[in-house]
Amino acid sequence: MKKQTPTVYILHGYDASPTRHWFPWLRDRLESDGIRTAAIALPTPDAPRLSAWLAAIAEAVTEITPQTYFVAHSLGCISLLQYLAEQPSTHAGGALLVSGFAETPQDFPFLAEFTAPPLDYAALKQILAHRTVLSAKDDPFVPHAVSKALADALAADFYLLPTGGHFIDQTGTRTLPAAYGALCSMLSD
């Protein structure tokens, strides 16, 4: 029986878009590998609302199967997890969470609505066959300890890079080989 072609959904974070940071590079790399990708544009990224982001994710994700994977960055991570928690009977291949958090970042109290609903980690572990969190020691917005706490709660693999900041284009990040490598590990499993 032929294995279904994987689909990877890419979700950006606060004040970003599918054309920013390292997302176009990752999409191009995956597509050159023959992997279907869809970068989800989340509405009003400079003034995000949880309900609007959940609706946009629900509209973009056509189906979730064991060959469905997600890559999310920053605010996109908690948004994805909140969305998946509402899909308890689904089984996805996995999620790569870059600079992820499940508690409101100290400098961004206006994002509290995204972290206020408690996550059902037991359900998320059942939904996501593979879980990986990637962070950098020098992330100025989401301290790596916060990303590590998310990884621990999800029983996820955790990769801590010595540098990289918040992995954004303003600081020069336009490629992210560590994300590609982690995702390839999931896809080959």
Side-chain angles (χ1 to χ4, degrees):
M1 186 166 147
K2 186 178 176 192
K3 189 175 179 181
Q4 179 186 357
T5 301
T7 299
V8 176
Y9 291 97
I10 302 171
L11 290 83
H12 64 79
Y14 171 72
D15 201 25
S17 76
T19 61
R20 300 272 312 275
H21 312 320
W22 42 273
F23 312 132
W25 172 83
L26 181 63
R27 184 190 63 238
D28 291 347
R29 286 287 309 256
L30 294 172
E31 288 177 352
S32 72
D33 291 343
I35 297 167
R36 290 188 302 253
T37 64
I40 301 172
L42 300 167
T44 61
D46 56 340
R49 303 296 308 176
L50 177 60
S51 60
W53 280 33
L54 293 178
I57 297 167
E59 184 176 331
V61 177
T62 55
E63 72 173 332
I64 299 174
T65 73
Q67 288 301 309
T68 304
Y69 295 83
F70 299 92
V71 176
H73 178 245
S74 193
L75 187 62
C77 297
I78 187 70
S79 303
L80 171 66
L81 295 175
Q82 294 291 8
Y83 167 75
L84 289 174
E86 295 177 353
Q87 320 301 316
S89 61
T90 60
H91 298 284
L96 169 61
L97 308 172
V98 179
S99 297
F101 58 87
E103 59 187 70
T104 305
Q106 183 177 346
D107 295 336
F108 300 89
F110 57 91
L111 299 179
E113 76 168 299
F114 285 81
T115 58
L119 289 171
D120 183 345
Y121 291 108
L124 288 166
K125 288 186 260 186
Q126 293 297 312
I127 293 167
L128 294 165
H130 297 90
R131 301 164 304 280
T132 300
V133 176
L134 177 67
S135 183
K137 284 186 179 181
D138 61 349
D139 189 326
F141 303 118
V142 179
H144 63 86
V146 172
S147 291
K148 176 73 164 87
L150 175 62
D152 290 346
L154 287 169
D157 294 330
F158 181 68
Y159 295 97
L160 181 60
L161 302 183
T163 61
H166 198 57
F167 307 110
I168 54 177
D169 53 13
Q170 292 97 320
T171 56
T173 303
R174 297 194 190 285
T175 66
L176 193 50
Y180 175 74
L183 187 59
C184 287
S185 291
M186 278 187 211
L187 293 167
S188 67
D189 217 7

